[in-house]
Amino acid sequence: MDLEQARFNMIEQQIRPWEVLDGEVLALLSTVKREHFVPAGLQALAFVDMELPLRGGGAHGQAMLAPRLEARLLQDLAVQKHEKVLEIGTGSGYMAALLGRRAAHVLTLEIEHELATQARKNLATESVSNVEVRQADGANGAAAEGPFDVIVLSGSVAEVPQALLAQLKVGGRLAAIVGQEPMMRATFITRNSDTAWTTAEPWDTVAPRLVHFAEHSHFRF
């Protein structure tokens, strides 16, 4: 398999058509080796437009997000070199690696011990030294290390908890996939002041659920 040709095809045929045109993001996708973050035996699928199941995800069934989704989130967040980032849902560590190349520091939380351990190894393979992988339930964030310039939920939720919004700096941004299948919305929330936030929902997608986040009740009064 010609990995470089497959990587080129991924960028040109999947990611650019999804309106990812930021030159720095496209360059990162060329240099951060996605195949180093794919589970053993699935390297041939590293550049395919699909989610990949992560071994070690336990009963939660975690998956590596499709490349175009990760790229679009990265572009739309516009992470800067001086910023501190919190990611919830480390998975294989690929998104954390991309974030680490753009930010000053990344703290990424993964609930499954085996995935957290593997993510650390994957990040070391890519020589990413400014990312801390912590085994933890990320549903409540990491208030003790906040506030953060950027918070990324690498999975979907029914709604964004207020506890996470409170961990944003003024001017900070949070990205999440919000809603129910078959239709979810990419949701970007910016903190404008101590008491005010603005929300944008620029595009549709779907993503696997993050665990331990509250679901909407099906009952109505």
PDB file of all heavy atoms in Angstrom, residues 11 15 38 41-42 58 63 84 91 111 145 147 151 167 170 181 198 214-215:
ATOM      1  N   ILE A  11      -6.829  13.655   1.637  1.00  0.00           N
ATOM      2  CA  ILE A  11      -6.901  15.113   1.734  1.00  0.00           C
ATOM      3  C   ILE A  11      -7.655  15.707   0.553  1.00  0.00           C
ATOM      4  O   ILE A  11      -8.538  16.557   0.719  1.00  0.00           O
ATOM      5  CB  ILE A  11      -5.484  15.708   1.841  1.00  0.00           C
ATOM      6  CG1 ILE A  11      -4.856  15.302   3.183  1.00  0.00           C
ATOM      7  CG2 ILE A  11      -5.516  17.222   1.696  1.00  0.00           C
ATOM      8  CD1 ILE A  11      -3.378  15.622   3.294  1.00  0.00           C
ATOM      9  N   ILE A  15     -11.308  15.575   2.314  1.00  0.00           N
ATOM     10  CA  ILE A  15     -11.211  16.698   3.245  1.00  0.00           C
ATOM     11  C   ILE A  15     -11.411  18.039   2.552  1.00  0.00           C
ATOM     12  O   ILE A  15     -12.204  18.864   3.012  1.00  0.00           O
ATOM     13  CB  ILE A  15      -9.877  16.616   4.006  1.00  0.00           C
ATOM     14  CG1 ILE A  15      -9.935  15.375   4.927  1.00  0.00           C
ATOM     15  CG2 ILE A  15      -9.615  17.879   4.807  1.00  0.00           C
ATOM     16  CD1 ILE A  15      -8.689  15.029   5.627  1.00  0.00           C
ATOM     17  N   VAL A  38      -4.049   4.279  14.211  1.00  0.00           N
ATOM     18  CA  VAL A  38      -5.091   3.319  13.854  1.00  0.00           C
ATOM     19  C   VAL A  38      -4.817   1.996  14.565  1.00  0.00           C
ATOM     20  O   VAL A  38      -3.659   1.586  14.689  1.00  0.00           O
ATOM     21  CB  VAL A  38      -5.133   3.137  12.321  1.00  0.00           C
ATOM     22  CG1 VAL A  38      -6.054   2.002  11.923  1.00  0.00           C
ATOM     23  CG2 VAL A  38      -5.560   4.434  11.654  1.00  0.00           C
ATOM     24  N   GLY A  41      -3.821  -3.890  12.665  1.00  0.00           N
ATOM     25  CA  GLY A  41      -4.605  -4.683  11.730  1.00  0.00           C
ATOM     26  C   GLY A  41      -5.549  -3.873  10.880  1.00  0.00           C
ATOM     27  O   GLY A  41      -6.141  -4.388   9.931  1.00  0.00           O
ATOM     28  N   LEU A  42      -5.703  -2.577  11.209  1.00  0.00           N
ATOM     29  CA  LEU A  42      -6.624  -1.727  10.449  1.00  0.00           C
ATOM     30  C   LEU A  42      -5.900  -0.618   9.687  1.00  0.00           C
ATOM     31  O   LEU A  42      -6.534   0.308   9.199  1.00  0.00           O
ATOM     32  CB  LEU A  42      -7.664  -1.103  11.383  1.00  0.00           C
ATOM     33  CG  LEU A  42      -8.613  -2.069  12.101  1.00  0.00           C
ATOM     34  CD1 LEU A  42      -9.584  -1.297  12.980  1.00  0.00           C
ATOM     35  CD2 LEU A  42      -9.376  -2.938  11.106  1.00  0.00           C
ATOM     36  N   GLY A  58     -13.727  -1.073  25.521  1.00  0.00           N
ATOM     37  CA  GLY A  58     -14.619  -1.704  26.483  1.00  0.00           C
ATOM     38  C   GLY A  58     -16.052  -1.712  26.001  1.00  0.00           C
ATOM     39  O   GLY A  58     -16.352  -1.770  24.817  1.00  0.00           O
ATOM     40  N   ALA A  63     -14.850   4.866  18.955  1.00  0.00           N
ATOM     41  CA  ALA A  63     -14.405   4.786  17.573  1.00  0.00           C
ATOM     42  C   ALA A  63     -13.545   5.996  17.245  1.00  0.00           C
ATOM     43  O   ALA A  63     -13.703   7.074  17.831  1.00  0.00           O
ATOM     44  CB  ALA A  63     -15.597   4.730  16.620  1.00  0.00           C
ATOM     45  N   LYS A  84      -4.379  27.034  25.441  1.00  0.00           N
ATOM     46  CA  LYS A  84      -4.473  25.814  26.246  1.00  0.00           C
ATOM     47  C   LYS A  84      -5.782  25.112  25.905  1.00  0.00           C
ATOM     48  O   LYS A  84      -6.844  25.726  25.914  1.00  0.00           O
ATOM     49  CB  LYS A  84      -4.414  26.149  27.737  1.00  0.00           C
ATOM     50  CG  LYS A  84      -4.479  24.941  28.656  1.00  0.00           C
ATOM     51  CD  LYS A  84      -4.133  25.298  30.088  1.00  0.00           C
ATOM     52  CE  LYS A  84      -5.164  26.205  30.725  1.00  0.00           C
ATOM     53  NZ  LYS A  84      -4.928  26.395  32.189  1.00  0.00           N
ATOM     54  N   GLY A  91      -9.561   8.653  22.745  1.00  0.00           N
ATOM     55  CA  GLY A  91      -9.535   7.583  21.745  1.00  0.00           C
ATOM     56  C   GLY A  91      -8.119   7.148  21.459  1.00  0.00           C
ATOM     57  O   GLY A  91      -7.338   6.841  22.361  1.00  0.00           O
ATOM     58  N   ILE A 111     -11.705   7.863  29.303  1.00  0.00           N
ATOM     59  CA  ILE A 111     -12.276   7.082  30.397  1.00  0.00           C
ATOM     60  C   ILE A 111     -11.715   5.660  30.462  1.00  0.00           C
ATOM     61  O   ILE A 111     -11.628   5.073  31.539  1.00  0.00           O
ATOM     62  CB  ILE A 111     -13.822   7.067  30.286  1.00  0.00           C
ATOM     63  CG1 ILE A 111     -14.447   6.598  31.599  1.00  0.00           C
ATOM     64  CG2 ILE A 111     -14.286   6.233  29.105  1.00  0.00           C
ATOM     65  CD1 ILE A 111     -15.949   6.815  31.664  1.00  0.00           C
ATOM     66  N   GLU A 145      -7.692  22.470  36.242  1.00  0.00           N
ATOM     67  CA  GLU A 145      -6.664  22.880  35.289  1.00  0.00           C
ATOM     68  C   GLU A 145      -7.115  24.042  34.412  1.00  0.00           C
ATOM     69  O   GLU A 145      -6.348  24.559  33.619  1.00  0.00           O
ATOM     70  CB  GLU A 145      -6.265  21.707  34.384  1.00  0.00           C
ATOM     71  CG  GLU A 145      -5.309  20.717  35.005  1.00  0.00           C
ATOM     72  CD  GLU A 145      -6.005  19.831  36.024  1.00  0.00           C
ATOM     73  OE1 GLU A 145      -7.234  19.652  35.917  1.00  0.00           O
ATOM     74  OE2 GLU A 145      -5.314  19.333  36.924  1.00  0.00           O
ATOM     75  N   PRO A 147      -9.075  27.918  33.599  1.00  0.00           N
ATOM     76  CA  PRO A 147      -9.939  27.830  32.411  1.00  0.00           C
ATOM     77  C   PRO A 147      -9.133  27.564  31.147  1.00  0.00           C
ATOM     78  O   PRO A 147      -7.913  27.739  31.125  1.00  0.00           O
ATOM     79  CB  PRO A 147     -10.598  29.204  32.373  1.00  0.00           C
ATOM     80  CG  PRO A 147      -9.570  30.119  32.978  1.00  0.00           C
ATOM     81  CD  PRO A 147      -8.911  29.311  34.071  1.00  0.00           C
ATOM     82  N   ILE A 151     -12.086  23.987  24.199  1.00  0.00           N
ATOM     83  CA  ILE A 151     -12.536  22.678  24.665  1.00  0.00           C
ATOM     84  C   ILE A 151     -13.128  21.946  23.466  1.00  0.00           C
ATOM     85  O   ILE A 151     -13.955  22.502  22.742  1.00  0.00           O
ATOM     86  CB  ILE A 151     -13.583  22.790  25.792  1.00  0.00           C
ATOM     87  CG1 ILE A 151     -12.983  23.517  27.004  1.00  0.00           C
ATOM     88  CG2 ILE A 151     -14.087  21.405  26.201  1.00  0.00           C
ATOM     89  CD1 ILE A 151     -13.969  23.748  28.145  1.00  0.00           C
ATOM     90  N   GLN A 167     -15.808  26.373  32.197  1.00  0.00           N
ATOM     91  CA  GLN A 167     -14.359  26.172  32.182  1.00  0.00           C
ATOM     92  C   GLN A 167     -13.674  26.857  31.003  1.00  0.00           C
ATOM     93  O   GLN A 167     -12.461  26.734  30.826  1.00  0.00           O
ATOM     94  CB  GLN A 167     -14.052  24.676  32.196  1.00  0.00           C
ATOM     95  CG  GLN A 167     -14.458  24.011  33.492  1.00  0.00           C
ATOM     96  CD  GLN A 167     -14.329  22.501  33.486  1.00  0.00           C
ATOM     97  OE1 GLN A 167     -13.392  21.958  32.911  1.00  0.00           O
ATOM     98  NE2 GLN A 167     -15.271  21.823  34.125  1.00  0.00           N
ATOM     99  N   VAL A 170     -12.935  33.745  28.910  1.00  0.00           N
ATOM    100  CA  VAL A 170     -13.642  34.722  28.078  1.00  0.00           C
ATOM    101  C   VAL A 170     -12.896  34.810  26.742  1.00  0.00           C
ATOM    102  O   VAL A 170     -11.677  34.970  26.711  1.00  0.00           O
ATOM    103  CB  VAL A 170     -13.720  36.089  28.764  1.00  0.00           C
ATOM    104  CG1 VAL A 170     -14.308  37.132  27.815  1.00  0.00           C
ATOM    105  CG2 VAL A 170     -14.549  35.994  30.039  1.00  0.00           C
ATOM    106  N   GLU A 181     -29.209  11.013  16.545  1.00  0.00           N
ATOM    107  CA  GLU A 181     -29.226  10.432  15.203  1.00  0.00           C
ATOM    108  C   GLU A 181     -30.661  10.430  14.669  1.00  0.00           C
ATOM    109  O   GLU A 181     -31.601  10.294  15.442  1.00  0.00           O
ATOM    110  CB  GLU A 181     -28.679   9.000  15.248  1.00  0.00           C
ATOM    111  CG  GLU A 181     -27.184   8.944  15.496  1.00  0.00           C
ATOM    112  CD  GLU A 181     -26.610   7.561  15.246  1.00  0.00           C
ATOM    113  OE1 GLU A 181     -26.684   6.741  16.175  1.00  0.00           O
ATOM    114  OE2 GLU A 181     -26.126   7.322  14.127  1.00  0.00           O
ATOM    115  N   THR A 198     -22.218  32.809  22.900  1.00  0.00           N
ATOM    116  CA  THR A 198     -22.918  32.757  21.618  1.00  0.00           C
ATOM    117  C   THR A 198     -22.683  31.392  20.993  1.00  0.00           C
ATOM    118  O   THR A 198     -21.627  30.773  21.188  1.00  0.00           O
ATOM    119  CB  THR A 198     -22.444  33.848  20.649  1.00  0.00           C
ATOM    120  OG1 THR A 198     -21.017  33.744  20.474  1.00  0.00           O
ATOM    121  CG2 THR A 198     -22.805  35.220  21.170  1.00  0.00           C
ATOM    122  N   ALA A 214     -25.346  13.557  30.065  1.00  0.00           N
ATOM    123  CA  ALA A 214     -26.783  13.392  30.236  1.00  0.00           C
ATOM    124  C   ALA A 214     -27.502  13.335  28.893  1.00  0.00           C
ATOM    125  O   ALA A 214     -27.143  14.045  27.949  1.00  0.00           O
ATOM    126  CB  ALA A 214     -27.340  14.535  31.071  1.00  0.00           C
ATOM    127  N   GLU A 215     -28.511  12.485  28.821  1.00  0.00           N
ATOM    128  CA  GLU A 215     -29.391  12.412  27.653  1.00  0.00           C
ATOM    129  C   GLU A 215     -30.674  13.168  27.956  1.00  0.00           C
ATOM    130  O   GLU A 215     -31.087  13.293  29.112  1.00  0.00           O
ATOM    131  CB  GLU A 215     -29.717  10.950  27.322  1.00  0.00           C
ATOM    132  CG  GLU A 215     -28.528  10.141  26.842  1.00  0.00           C
ATOM    133  CD  GLU A 215     -28.043  10.553  25.470  1.00  0.00           C
ATOM    134  OE1 GLU A 215     -28.829  11.137  24.699  1.00  0.00           O
ATOM    135  OE2 GLU A 215     -26.857  10.298  25.171  1.00  0.00           O
TER     136      GLU A 215
END
